[in-house]
Amino acid sequence: MSTDTKQIIADALLKNEQAMYGPFFGSLGVTSAMAFAAAGSAYGTAKAGTGIASMAVARPDLVMKAIIPVVMAGIVAIYGLVVAVIVSGKVEPAGANYTINNAFSQFAGGLVCGLCGLGAGYAIGIAGDAGVRALSQQPRMFVGMILILIFAEVLGLYGMIVALILGAT
Amino acid sequence: MTTSSSSEPSTMATLFPNFRDQEVQSAVKNLLTYSLVILIVPLASMFLLKQFFFEGLLGVSANDALTYSAIIAVVLVHVVLGIWLFAATKQEDRKKRENKQD
């Protein structure tokens, strides 16, 4: 193989490594982190909200406790927001310090945070709905409900940690 | 404690039927305060810490500053959530004690 051919292959490799579609995947990571986390949070808020609405008819004094599933669903959206803001600060035009490796790991980070948030939001919604309904009849259910909600919310936190590790590389 | 002497109910009275009730008033105030705090604290701490603490005082690069302030914001949100839980349980305990004294 002549040095000319080698040079051509090396150039082609470099060009593919710094492909111009790199920022597309980075931006897609930003979008998926925010959009999926917001979707999960919205479902959790709506599902827990119906439960709060029906239990508050009988026990309006418990509303401070009953609103906690909604707050936790909101925190899941904050995870998505944090990852989206961090990743969006690192998306740049393709070049020597922004290769497709960076872009794909940002895409993966956004996706893992978003989908973990989606799952956590679903879990918070369903467990919160049942929890606040039970709370109106048995106030001692509060600690149990909080524990279930914390375990559901930690799933979103795991996603955020992995996303931060992926996005930081 | 029927202070609504006027014939037409005010907007506050239609929103909260027993608004003059001490318990309802404190509950609404608590809820409003905590809701505002948990909305504002993470966003404000994230951007203010990045701007003034990490970049201004410590001179960290923009990307690192954003990561650090994001982690602190998430920790702060959980602190506020913990305070919320504490307040919710304390409220219930106080109510129980008052009922026992009666």
Side-chain angles (χ1 to χ4, degrees), chain A residues 87-99:
Chain A
V87 172
S88 73
K90 293 184 175 171
V91 177
E92 2 175 323
N97 43 18
Y98 191 80
T99 60

Side-chain angles (χ1 to χ4, degrees), chain A residues 61-65 67-68 71-72 75 78-79 81-82 85-86 89-90 139 142 146 153 157 160 164, chain B residues 23 30-31 34 38 42-43 46-47 63 66-67 70-71 74 77-78 81 84-85 87-89 91-92 95:
Chain A
D61 53 313
L62 281 177
V63 77
M64 186 84 175
K65 285 181 170 179
I67 213 91
I68 283 170
V71 174
M72 288 196 158
I75 290 176
I78 289 177
Y79 294 156
L81 177 75
V82 160
V85 168
I86 289 174
K90 293 184 175 171
F142 183 63
I146 294 303
E153 204 213 291
L157 190 66
M160 193 196 77
L164 286 183
Chain B
E23 204 169 287
N30 250 344
L31 200 63
Y34 278 104
I38 211 159
L43 294 177
M46 182 158 174
F47 292 108
N63 271 337
L66 203 53
T67 311
I71 292 167
V74 168
V77 153
H78 287 93
L81 183 69
W84 185 316
L85 287 179
T89 38
Q91 203 179 21
E92 189 68 16
K95 213 176 293 163

Side-chain angles (χ1 to χ4, degrees), chain B residues 30-98:
Chain B
N30 250 344
L31 200 63
L32 222 73
T33 322
Y34 278 104
S35 304
L36 282 179
V37 164
I38 211 159
L39 279 178
I40 290 169
V41 156
L43 294 177
S45 71
M46 182 158 174
F47 292 108
L48 292 182
L49 273 176
K50 176 189 179 283
Q51 197 79 34
F52 295 111
F53 183 68
F54 284 111
E55 284 183 4
L57 270 176
L58 301 182
V60 187
S61 75
N63 271 337
D64 288 348
L66 203 53
T67 311
Y68 297 148
S69 53
I71 292 167
I72 291 178
V74 168
V75 170
L76 277 180
V77 153
H78 287 93
V79 170
V80 176
L81 183 69
I83 296 172
W84 185 316
L85 287 179
F86 180 72
T89 38
K90 203 184 65 180
Q91 203 179 21
E92 189 68 16
D93 287 349
R94 202 181 52 209
K95 213 176 293 163
K96 227 179 272 170
R97 215 174 305 135
E98 276 168 8

